[in-house]
Amino acid sequence: MNASPTPTRSTRSTRSAPSASSAQAQPAVEQVDTTFLESLLGYNARRASLAVISVFLERMAPYGLRPVDFSVLSLVAHNPGITSRQLCGSLALLPPNVVGLLNTLEKRDLIARQPHPRDRRAMGLHLTTAGQKLMRDAERTAAQLEAEVAAKLTPAELRTLLKLLKKVYA
Amino acid sequence: MNASPTPTRSTRSTRSAPSASSAQAQPAVEQVDTTFLESLLGYNARRASLAVISVFLERMAPYGLRPVDFSVLSLVAHNPGITSRQLCGSLALLPPNVVGLLNTLEKRDLIARQPHPRDRRAMGLHLTTAGQKLMRDAERTAAQLEAEVAAKLTPAELRTLLKLLKKVYA
DNA sequence: TATTGTTATACTCTATAACTATA
DNA sequence: TATAGTTATAGAGTATAACAATA
């Protein structure tokens, strides 16, 4: 979480070849050249997501919600009766890892497991009244945070960015 | 790594409030509505980076390189003599976690630690001849992979995407 | 006194195998 | 036979504290 991009130094890269054995006086690096990595989509996407997530972590701490918790609660809020399996499919989570997560949210009285109407193996997930109240605030905070992070962009740029990101993972 | 976005269902969200106690017949969810999450920059950035990274993992497996290894070797390639501390600063890694990583790369004869010219505490990192050969191939593969992932975008869109991502984390 | 590299260690995240009850 | 939820557990990733050598 202490990322600090420091480009500059467009001097030549990949210089003479110091084989492990030839240990003559080697030059020191002043400014780290990250131009190659910065040309890669994966590197930039990861850096951007880390930047956003670090702000997310700060702002959601008062609610006691990690990004996963927020995502899960948000899906339950907008999809009352959603099953654990559906959560896994939508959020790329694995079933065993969701169990403890849901148990914690249930103990906090934010969600309730109710019998599924057509499948007695499954459980339908619902927000409790407390969960609904929390998520109203949390989603407002998320939208607000979004606005702040996106303040570095114009509204048009933000729309473009979201559209292009979706094209990448679609 | 089994992400599968499934939007659609723009019907109303957040319906009636089933408190934990009132357990009347609850509706089942057919199509999961992810529209709210999809409106968030962090969610989309993370999804996009996961998508790119999963392809990266496949293509770099033949070289025995994880994304971190590739990033480290790439920085060493373009910054001969870079120190462990500088790697940490540029890649948001923590010093204790870099030690084992570098040890492994050194055992594989891909890098060599050489005495730093001006600081006897530090070690300058350099690619060995084998490391240089590997990275020539690996960076070529990375650029190729980049082109494939970005095939979902026009060249202009890719340029725009990179520019906007940089603005987000800058 | 501060910093580089390092060890030891703990905590979180992610992944696999296997069980149960229903389908 | 296959699937939903669960348990137990292993492995990777990420974090903090503390020490020796050097600045």
Side-chain angles (χ1 to χ4, degrees):
Chain A
M1 222 67 84
N2 68 0
S4 56
T6 321
T8 355
R9 204 190 86 145
S10 305
T11 48
R12 79 221 178 294
S13 304
T14 353
R15 44 183 89 168
S16 60
S19 108
S21 46
S22 74
Q24 70 259 37
Q26 294 298 340
V29 173
E30 303 303 334
Q31 280 284 349
V32 179
D33 175 12
T34 57
T35 48
F36 180 80
L37 288 181
E38 281 182 34
S39 76
L40 298 177
L41 181 52
Y43 177 82
N44 286 282
R46 181 164 172 277
R47 288 293 295 262
S49 72
L50 285 179
V52 179
I53 286 172
S54 80
V55 183
F56 196 96
L57 288 172
E58 291 173 20
R59 302 300 181 80
M60 287 298 158
Y63 302 102
L65 298 179
R66 298 164 302 167
V68 212
D69 302 314
F70 177 85
S71 302
V72 165
L73 288 175
S74 178
L75 282 188
V76 174
H78 295 283
N79 301 272
I82 193 173
T83 66
S84 178
R85 208 60 169 68
Q86 288 176 309
L87 284 178
C88 290
S90 300
L91 296 174
L93 303 174
L94 293 173
N97 302 329
V98 175
V99 178
L101 194 157
L102 292 180
N103 284 341
T104 304
L105 295 177
E106 196 174 35
K107 270 173 203 144
R108 287 177 64 185
D109 190 40
L110 297 176
I111 62 165
R113 290 172 164 108
Q114 294 185 5
H116 190 281
R118 296 194 312 272
D119 189 336
R120 277 186 299 170
R121 294 172 303 180
M123 300 295 286
L125 300 170
H126 300 264
L127 290 191
T128 62
T129 307
Q132 290 183 354
K133 180 176 177 335
L134 185 83
M135 282 311 283
R136 266 196 298 274
D137 296 345
E139 285 195 344
R140 186 159 35 225
T141 299
Q144 205 171 322
L145 175 161
E146 183 79 3
E148 291 174 38
V149 172
K152 296 170 179 173
L153 308 171
T154 68
E157 284 179 328
L158 177 58
R159 278 196 304 276
T160 304
L161 178 52
L162 291 178
K163 188 191 70 182
L164 294 179
L165 286 174
K166 282 187 175 67
K167 282 183 84 168
V168 169
Y169 72 72
Chain B
M1 224 67 84
N2 67 2
S4 58
T6 322
T8 354
R9 204 191 84 146
S10 305
T11 50
R12 78 220 179 294
S13 304
T14 351
R15 44 183 89 167
S16 61
S19 106
S21 45
S22 72
Q24 70 259 34
Q26 294 298 340
V29 173
E30 303 302 335
Q31 279 285 347
V32 178
D33 175 13
T34 57
T35 49
F36 179 80
L37 288 180
E38 281 183 34
S39 76
L40 298 177
L41 181 53
Y43 176 83
N44 287 281
R46 181 164 173 277
R47 287 293 294 262
S49 74
L50 285 179
V52 179
I53 287 173
S54 80
V55 183
F56 195 96
L57 288 172
E58 290 173 20
R59 300 302 181 79
M60 287 298 158
Y63 301 102
L65 298 179
R66 299 163 302 166
V68 210
D69 302 315
F70 177 86
S71 303
V72 165
L73 287 175
S74 179
L75 282 188
V76 175
H78 295 284
N79 301 272
I82 193 174
T83 66
S84 178
R85 207 62 170 67
Q86 288 176 309
L87 284 178
C88 291
S90 300
L91 296 174
L93 302 174
L94 292 173
N97 301 329
V98 175
V99 178
L101 194 158
L102 293 179
N103 284 341
T104 305
L105 295 178
E106 196 174 36
K107 269 173 204 143
R108 287 176 64 185
D109 191 39
L110 296 176
I111 63 165
R113 290 174 164 107
Q114 294 185 4
H116 189 280
R118 295 194 312 272
D119 189 336
R120 277 186 298 171
R121 294 172 304 180
M123 299 294 287
L125 300 170
H126 299 265
L127 290 191
T128 61
T129 307
Q132 290 183 355
K133 180 176 177 337
L134 185 83
M135 282 310 284
R136 267 196 298 274
D137 295 347
E139 286 195 343
R140 186 157 38 225
T141 299
Q144 206 170 322
L145 175 161
E146 183 79 1
E148 291 174 37
V149 171
K152 297 170 177 172
L153 309 171
T154 67
E157 284 178 328
L158 178 58
R159 277 196 304 276
T160 303
L161 178 53
L162 291 179
K163 188 190 70 183
L164 295 179
L165 286 174
K166 282 187 176 66
K167 282 182 85 168
V168 169
Y169 72 71

